[in-house]
Amino acid sequence: DSTTYLNLSIIFLPKFYIEACDDGADAVLAIDRVSNEMTLTVREHQIPTVQVCMYLIVITKKRNVGSLLGHAVWKAVDFDVISYKRTVLHLTENQTQDNKTFLSMINNVLTTDGFYFCTDYDLTHTLQRLANVSHDFQEMSLLERADQRFVWNGSLLREFLAQPEVLDVPDPVVVMKPCRINGKIFEWILISRRSCFRAGVRYYVRGIDSEGHAANFVETEQIVLYGAGRASFVQTRGSMPFFWSQRPNLKYKPKPLISKNTNHMDGFQRHFDSQVLIYGKQTILNLVNQKGSEKPLEQAFAKMVTGMENGMIKYVAFDFHKECSGMRWDRLNILVDNVAETQDEYSYFMVDTEGKVLSQQKGTFRSNCMDCLDRTNVIQSMLARRSIQSQLQRMGVLHVAQRIEEQADFEKIYKNAWADNANACAKQYAGTGALKTDFTRTGKRTQMGLVMDGVNSAVRYYKNNFSDGFRQDSIDLFLGNYAVDETDGPTPLRIQKDWKFLTLPIIMVVAFSMCIICLLMAGDTWTETLAYVLFWGTAAAVTAAVIVFNGRDFVDAPKLVQKEKMD
């Protein structure tokens, strides 16, 4: 039985009773809060019980964001984390404190915007993948057939795998808008699926792991539905797929380091083998700077692509910042025109009103910058616009001579949606909204956009250095990269900071304060005042220099999983 229920009620007694409330439904899931056993009851029948975890995470509020091929898509808005135990008195003092921290980590992930689900449609697959599956695949439950790269609650559902009714909850960005051009109404949908493999935050998760999973990997699908016809265009983004890191160290832009003790080609090969298998031909759009600290990364990427000697993979380097310096954002068309022939070759997926497949997408553009956020999103939105221009003309929505840029109402929807997509991806990875969204929204750079980029950059600096360790731990705990030990042994949370962590900042603050006081309360002579100011100012400056020199000891680093070992 793979029935999925839309309406459920939870009864809190010595057991949790989760009752299906749909018409004709009689299934009840009982979870013992003491023994942690779970039993599914259907009338007089029972299935074997399985052990469950300590907390139950319940979606308590949802919001409908639209319909995809007749299937309602929901956004999870609010959650409740319910303990299986009716009391925590059996926990020791240390366990109680750790338990509070772990719960705050889970809530940190749950309050990050971007959990969507559908009860009768698989959001983890593209239209083209679903069109090419077998009948047996379609008969599988949603969780069994889901693309595991995008199932963020997969670890939480391990104990429930025997239950076919369980839903996968991916962590995408979903935008669904009804649009009108030439009096013809069509549905325009943008779905960005964020991978849960090598997931994390900006400076603590870069490059790839040994399995070839890239950091901040996102599959973005643009869908057009008109009548019974449909079309989609897929792009990907992901960190440069070799072993490199960029740990925060209090500097505004830490220097990226390429690992010297690792065989890069093994992971690099695995990454692109999987990309070619899933998506077909690959065109890499590397948008990093070709000078300064980013230059070695670009050179390494180009060298590895050349060394792989794979005709399915094409490499294009485009120095985004150099080409667009001086607000010359029109020069982005140089890149779009350069890959236009390749985009035409790759095509897109399209099905006519009779269900006949008119074209298949034969390859994807894999874009990246340093973070795979701001520069990447700008380029992806331009490639997607070129694709939808062709799709709408073939569907008969646009006339042959019409340009999509001339459709003011749709352009506004399109630009704002891509800017929202950028903001959502950036908040999950970097902690703030995206940069350069003024260009995405308006098609030009503005002075106010530059000011907002400055504000976001300052907020990113603070979060990356002083709060991202906790965010990384939250993600690792949620995804099961760290398993909580139920014994009362020491946990990574109780690791004490080095003496420098508290002592040096206090000395710096005191010295700086004394320097200001000496300036405001001058002594009997200017030489005496100058001597005091120089002494305390030098003490503050030297202490600050020592702190910056030992910057990695002062940032908020992850505690649960040692990222150096993972790299």
Side-chain angles (χ1 to χ4, degrees):
D1 179 10
S2 59
T3 305
T4 302
Y5 301 106
L6 290 175
N7 300 296
L8 300 169
S9 67
I10 302 179
I11 303 171
F12 300 92
L13 292 171
K15 293 183 179 182
F16 291 132
Y17 291 96
I18 304 176
E19 182 180 9
C21 300
D22 292 353
D23 293 339
D26 58 359
V28 177
L29 181 66
I31 304 177
D32 194 299
R33 302 171 72 173
V34 177
S35 67
N36 295 348
E37 290 184 337
M38 179 179 68
T39 307
L40 179 65
T41 302
V42 181
R43 296 186 185 279
E44 302 299 327
H45 303 288
Q46 283 190 341
I47 64 169
T49 61
V50 297
Q51 295 297 312
V52 292
C53 56
M54 188 175 177
Y55 282 86
L56 184 69
I57 300 177
V58 181
I59 299 174
T60 57
K61 187 177 181 181
K62 63 183 180 179
R63 176 168 59 85
N64 182 261
V65 295
S67 176
L68 178 56
L69 298 175
H71 306 280
V73 178
W74 304 91
K75 180 178 182 178
V77 177
D78 202 3
F79 303 84
D80 200 0
V81 182
I82 307 169
S83 174
Y84 277 65
K85 307 294 185 182
R86 285 184 287 179
T87 178
V88 293
L89 294 177
H90 62 287
L91 299 180
T92 65
E93 183 178 348
N94 285 335
Q95 286 178 323
T96 301
Q97 187 59 44
D98 289 346
N99 192 58
K100 290 180 180 177
T101 304
F102 289 134
L103 283 176
S104 65
M105 289 179 178
I106 293 297
N107 281 306
N108 179 271
V109 176
L110 294 176
T111 53
T112 300
D113 196 31
F115 288 105
Y116 294 79
F117 66 95
C118 185
T119 59
D120 51 2
Y121 184 83
D122 189 354
L123 289 176
T124 67
H125 287 290
T126 64
L127 292 187
Q128 180 165 311
R129 288 201 295 267
L130 290 174
N132 293 328
V133 298
S134 65
H135 177 74
D136 291 339
F137 179 88
Q138 294 176 338
E139 292 297 314
M140 297 167 65
S141 68
L142 287 177
L143 182 61
E144 289 175 314
R145 73 189 190 199
D147 189 329
Q148 296 303 310
R149 294 178 299 167
F150 308 122
V151 181
W152 273 66
N153 61 335
S155 173
L156 304 178
L157 297 178
R158 285 173 185 163
E159 303 295 345
F160 291 84
L161 292 180
Q163 311 304 322
E165 298 83 0
V166 173
L167 286 175
D168 57 290
V169 179
D171 183 30
V173 180
V174 180
V175 179
M176 313 180 81
K177 299 288 184 181
C179 305
R180 180 193 296 266
I181 294 179
N182 294 330
K184 299 175 181 178
I185 299 175
F186 62 95
E187 189 83 11
W188 180 76
I189 301 169
L190 188 65
I191 302 177
S192 284
R193 305 174 179 96
R194 189 181 179 209
S195 175
C196 60
F197 297 152
R198 194 159 177 77
V201 298
R202 187 186 184 194
Y203 282 142
Y204 285 114
V205 180
R206 296 291 209 192
I208 57 171
D209 59 21
S210 59
E211 299 298 319
H213 302 305
N216 199 26
F217 183 87
V218 181
E219 173 191 87
T220 299
E221 180 180 21
Q222 177 177 266
I223 299 173
V224 178
L225 305 177
Y226 177 56
R230 56 189 185 272
S232 84
F233 177 66
V234 176
Q235 302 179 75
T236 63
R237 68 176 78 181
S239 188
M240 286 175 277
F242 47 90
F243 297 96
W244 65 283
S245 60
Q246 194 179 13
R247 305 285 179 224
N249 57 6
L250 296 182
K251 296 180 180 178
Y252 177 73
K253 191 174 181 181
K255 183 180 180 180
L257 300 174
I258 301 174
S259 175
K260 298 179 180 179
N261 305 315
T262 312
N263 185 343
H264 294 277
M265 287 306 295
D266 284 348
F268 190 84
Q269 184 79 48
R270 289 186 181 185
H271 176 76
F272 279 106
D273 283 348
S274 68
Q275 297 302 291
V276 171
L277 180 65
I278 297 171
Y279 301 107
K281 292 182 178 180
Q282 297 285 295
T283 292
I284 301 162
L285 303 180
N286 192 352
L287 309 175
V288 302
N289 299 342
Q290 295 178 27
K291 65 177 182 179
S293 61
E294 297 181 13
K295 181 178 179 180
L297 297 172
E298 190 280 319
Q299 292 176 328
F301 202 169
K303 182 178 179 181
M304 290 181 202
V305 173
T306 302
M308 196 162 50
E309 298 181 344
N310 189 332
M312 298 285 285
I313 300 173
K314 180 181 178 182
Y315 180 84
V316 178
F318 183 83
D319 191 331
F320 188 105
H321 287 151
K322 177 184 177 182
E323 295 292 342
C324 299
S325 61
M327 308 286 278
R328 298 177 300 169
W329 291 79
D330 59 295
R331 292 180 61 81
L332 291 174
N333 289 313
I334 295 174
L335 176 59
V336 175
D337 293 341
N338 184 30
V339 299
E341 186 176 339
T342 301
Q343 186 173 2
D344 292 339
E345 175 194 342
Y346 289 173
S347 188
Y348 42 77
F349 177 71
M350 176 171 277
V351 176
D352 65 14
T353 56
E354 298 178 356
K356 180 182 178 181
V357 176
L358 301 179
S359 63
Q360 299 255 13
Q361 187 169 339
K362 307 176 187 69
T364 58
F365 290 97
R366 185 199 188 277
S367 305
N368 74 267
C369 46
M370 290 295 286
D371 300 327
C372 306
L373 295 176
D374 314 315
R375 290 172 276 185
T376 295
N377 197 78
V378 171
I379 292 299
Q380 285 197 337
S381 69
M382 296 180 72
L383 294 174
R385 178 187 279 107
R386 191 174 182 277
S387 177
I388 199 173
Q389 168 81 33
S390 174
Q391 292 169 349
L392 292 178
Q393 285 180 341
R394 291 183 66 179
M395 288 178 161
V397 175
L398 274 178
H399 303 320
V400 176
Q402 283 184 308
R403 301 292 300 169
I404 196 72
E405 294 88 344
E406 299 168 356
Q407 314 305 314
D409 292 340
F410 176 74
E411 268 290 281
K412 183 177 180 181
I413 293 173
Y414 181 88
K415 290 177 177 178
N416 284 327
W418 271 98
D420 292 342
N421 177 71
N423 282 333
C425 290
K427 286 177 182 176
Q428 293 169 344
Y429 190 55
T432 72
L435 310 183
K436 304 176 179 66
T437 52
D438 57 325
F439 177 81
T440 309
R441 293 188 192 277
T442 66
K444 60 183 179 180
R445 258 319 215 162
T446 64
Q447 295 297 326
M448 181 55 68
L450 291 174
V451 171
M452 290 306 301
D453 283 358
V455 172
N456 279 332
S457 294
V459 174
R460 282 187 185 184
Y461 173 82
Y462 175 82
K463 289 190 173 183
N464 295 160
N465 284 281
F466 304 114
S467 67
D468 269 2
F470 180 83
R471 286 210 305 139
Q472 183 64 55
D473 284 336
S474 301
I475 294 170
D476 284 329
L477 179 65
F478 189 86
L479 294 178
N481 297 332
Y482 175 82
V484 178
D485 187 355
E486 295 185 7
T487 66
D488 194 28
T491 69
L493 297 177
R494 301 176 209 165
I495 297 176
Q496 297 297 317
K497 282 281 190 178
D498 187 84
W499 66 271
K500 297 191 296 290
F501 182 73
L502 288 177
T503 307
L504 291 180
I506 291 174
I507 293 174
M508 184 186 71
V509 170
V510 170
F512 182 75
S513 300
M514 290 301 296
C515 182
I516 299 299
I517 291 173
C518 290
L519 284 172
L520 297 177
M521 301 176 64
D524 295 336
T525 64
W526 70 268
T527 54
E528 180 184 1
T529 301
L530 180 61
Y532 279 121
V533 169
L534 287 176
F535 174 79
W536 290 113
T538 301
V542 170
T543 308
V546 173
I547 290 174
V548 172
F549 181 78
N550 297 278
R552 290 185 62 174
D553 294 333
F554 291 88
V555 299
D556 179 38
K559 298 180 178 68
L560 300 185
V561 179
Q562 295 300 314
K563 292 300 167 187
E564 285 82 357
K565 294 180 181 179
M566 291 182 67
D567 290 343

